[in-house]
Amino acid sequence: MIWTNWARNVTATPARLEQPASEDELSDAVRRAVKDGHTVRAVGAGHSFMPAAATDGVLLNLDHLDALHRVERDPDTGHALVTVGAGMRLHQLNRHLAERGLAMQNLGDIDRQSVAGAISTGTHGTGARFGGLATRVRALTVVGPDGDVVRAAPTERHDLFEASRLGLGATGVLSTVTIEAVPAFDLLAVEEPWPLDRVFEELDDLVAGSDHFEFYWFPATRRALTLRNTRVDAGTNAGSGLGHGLRKAAGAVRSFIDEEVLSNALFGTVNRIATLVPAATPTLNAISARALSSRRYTAPSHEVFCTHRRVRFREMEYAVPRAAVVQVLDQLDAWQRSTGENIPFPVEVRFAPADDVWLSTAYGRDTAYVAVHQYWKLPYARYFDAAEQIFTAVGGRPHWGKMHTRDAGYLAGQYRRFEDFRRAREAADPQGVFANPYTQRVFAG
């Protein structure tokens, strides 16, 4: 069989594919793989742009490990520890939480990934006070190279916990993950097109004054779409005279128009035109940037955080020091204008606080994430190479699941706990059962 990731830029031919339906079956699959002399990699949605799951050994699809195991509530805070199968998709998790009056504290903008894949690659959202998904992991179970299931938590096998909650599955296969959820909340979303220079001038206030702020910049223009999301109590009807039922219905219609007709169908057409007529791209970007209208609405948090992406693309994202983001974007702008590179996709910019997860791209510093995209039918190498040079010049850290060319030699200088991670990995998997060429490149040099 041939396995292909979502972006269609990675393929692999594993010796066999297995889909364990229980933890016991998962353990047995690992034992048999080792007995047969195979390496092992796990896969969920295959949404990584890097060959994180690629293997010529045994590929374990975790889709059947998607059960909700238990919910333990704290009556004082309303928070809950939610334990799920590692193969559960984020959209399933969001549904389970919403049914119980709970929510994730923060989410990325795509909910197709598995829980294991999302935390293992460092998936994050935006918000100067709210960390990535791995910061909410409170315990997990790992199937090691001997097939044994080991529980790890901050006070129980601490080093294994730290190396497994964000470590590309290099210590073993995650079986269950325990995540801290919070009481459900809505988001008041305000989306407005702004001049890019105004965004830069007011950036500190925008980041500090919004619970979740991000913006999209359209290359070859000085225009941006700003998104400011403010947390409000669940069921709050902020900024509208609609009742809840009408608000929900109106929101569904607007969501369909914005996401399916404008953001997906029309955007797909723009990219197809840009592919056929590259000279039209600056005009198309200018039209797209100016055609955007303001909107304000309130909806459950996961419905605002996550969007449906039907236009296929390639992506590189780097975490850069928060103070360097304007410099980075100015340099990207100057490079695009000097080269005339055909870039019909906007650049996405998000923010995160410093955290203490060993391999988190936000470890130890306030962070801005800059993501460059390219339509999947257009060349991306020259654009991404130039962007990567700009990012690394300020000490940028590549997203573990998105395109980059860095290796362990570079990455070791970016993470204070990198050697601690390598020691934990060696202790957990001394024979390299869970290694593949990508993990060797980024962890072993």
Side-chain angles (χ1 to χ4, degrees):
M1 66 157 287
I2 297 177
W3 172 83
T4 303
N5 67 338
W6 175 87
R8 298 180 184 172
N9 69 316
V10 177
T11 60
T13 306
R16 63 175 180 259
L17 171 69
E18 298 202 28
Q19 291 186 296
S22 68
E23 194 169 70
D24 287 343
E25 289 186 12
L26 175 59
S27 296
D28 182 61
V30 172
R31 290 191 185 99
R32 284 187 287 103
V34 173
K35 181 180 178 182
D36 294 342
H38 293 305
T39 56
V40 177
R41 292 300 290 169
V43 67
H47 211 281
S48 173
F49 296 85
M50 296 301 288
T55 183
D56 59 3
V58 174
L59 186 63
L60 297 178
N61 183 298
L62 302 184
D63 282 355
H64 295 325
L65 299 178
D66 63 349
L68 174 65
H69 291 289
R70 60 186 175 274
V71 178
E72 303 167 89
R73 293 180 181 269
D74 183 329
D76 295 327
T77 65
H79 290 209
L81 296 181
V82 181
T83 301
V84 300
M88 179 180 286
R89 300 297 176 89
L90 289 177
H91 63 87
Q92 295 174 292
L93 174 62
N94 291 336
R95 185 180 69 249
H96 284 302
L97 294 179
E99 289 170 352
R100 292 160 177 79
L102 297 167
M104 292 292 289
Q105 182 193 58
N106 201 0
L107 286 165
D109 52 12
I110 297 175
D111 62 3
R112 301 295 102 178
Q113 308 102 310
S114 67
V115 171
I119 65 171
S120 295
T121 56
T123 294
H124 62 89
T126 191
R129 295 179 296 279
F130 303 97
L133 270 64
T135 67
R136 310 303 295 174
V137 175
R138 298 294 176 258
L140 38 79
T141 53
V142 188
V143 177
D146 54 5
D148 289 351
V149 180
V150 177
R151 174 182 162 84
T155 58
E156 184 179 358
R157 297 183 175 89
H158 173 264
D159 285 5
L160 179 64
F161 170 75
E162 289 292 352
S164 299
R165 64 169 166 166
L166 201 172
L168 293 174
T171 60
V173 181
L174 299 187
S175 175
T176 66
V177 180
T178 300
I179 297 172
E180 183 178 359
V182 301
F185 60 96
D186 286 356
L187 286 171
L188 169 60
V190 179
E191 302 176 5
E192 294 178 329
W194 281 29
L196 183 62
D197 292 329
R198 181 186 172 194
V199 175
F200 287 171
E201 290 168 3
E202 301 184 27
L203 189 58
D204 289 341
D205 290 339
L206 288 167
V207 173
S210 305
D211 289 325
H212 306 275
F213 173 73
E214 64 183 303
F215 68 94
Y216 292 84
W217 161 56
F218 294 81
T221 80
R222 297 294 288 182
R223 303 284 297 177
L225 175 66
T226 63
L227 289 78
R228 290 172 287 161
N229 296 325
T230 303
R231 301 157 80 94
V232 296
D233 291 339
T236 297
N237 184 21
S240 167
L242 298 172
H244 179 71
L246 277 176
R247 175 176 65 89
K248 185 174 181 180
V253 172
R254 186 63 185 265
S255 175
F256 176 80
I257 293 172
D258 286 334
E259 292 187 11
E260 301 303 325
V261 177
L262 297 178
S263 298
N264 286 304
L266 182 56
F267 189 51
T269 300
V270 167
N271 278 270
R272 286 189 290 274
I273 294 172
T275 302
L276 294 171
V277 189
T281 299
T283 301
L284 291 169
N285 283 356
I287 292 172
S288 296
R290 292 194 175 277
L292 295 167
S293 60
S294 301
R295 68 167 175 159
R296 177 188 177 101
Y297 64 97
T298 307
S301 58
H302 65 276
E303 295 181 12
V304 178
F305 284 136
C306 303
T307 59
H308 299 291
R309 301 288 183 89
R310 303 195 190 283
V311 180
R312 205 174 299 273
F313 55 88
R314 311 280 194 253
E315 181 177 1
M316 169 184 283
E317 181 180 68
Y318 265 72
V320 301
R322 163 72 184 79
V325 67
V326 172
Q327 169 193 335
V328 164
L329 293 173
D330 278 340
Q331 290 177 355
L332 281 172
D333 184 32
W335 180 85
Q336 192 281 327
R337 290 179 184 276
S338 68
T339 62
E341 191 75 4
N342 185 13
I343 308 171
F345 248 91
V347 174
E348 183 179 19
V349 183
R350 293 178 286 175
F351 301 89
D355 66 44
D356 62 356
V357 179
W358 283 5
L359 292 188
S360 168
T361 47
Y363 181 90
R365 72 185 187 196
D366 291 339
T367 294
Y369 290 101
V370 182
V372 295
H373 308 72
Q374 184 62 292
Y375 185 51
W376 72 293
K377 292 185 177 181
L378 283 172
Y380 63 83
R382 187 168 76 145
Y383 177 30
F384 285 13
D385 285 349
E388 191 166 43
Q389 290 181 41
I390 293 169
F391 297 148
T392 55
V394 296
R397 299 165 177 166
H399 189 299
W400 295 101
K402 297 177 183 178
M403 300 177 76
H404 70 93
T405 66
R406 301 298 91 184
D407 61 17
Y410 175 86
L411 296 166
Q414 298 300 319
Y415 293 94
R416 189 167 67 84
R417 305 303 296 269
F418 198 78
E419 293 304 323
D420 293 324
F421 171 84
R422 292 210 280 204
R423 281 192 289 271
R425 178 197 181 203
E426 174 66 21
D429 183 25
Q431 301 304 315
V433 170
F434 303 107
N436 73 356
Y438 177 52
T439 64
Q440 288 298 96
R441 189 187 100 197
V442 296
F443 296 145

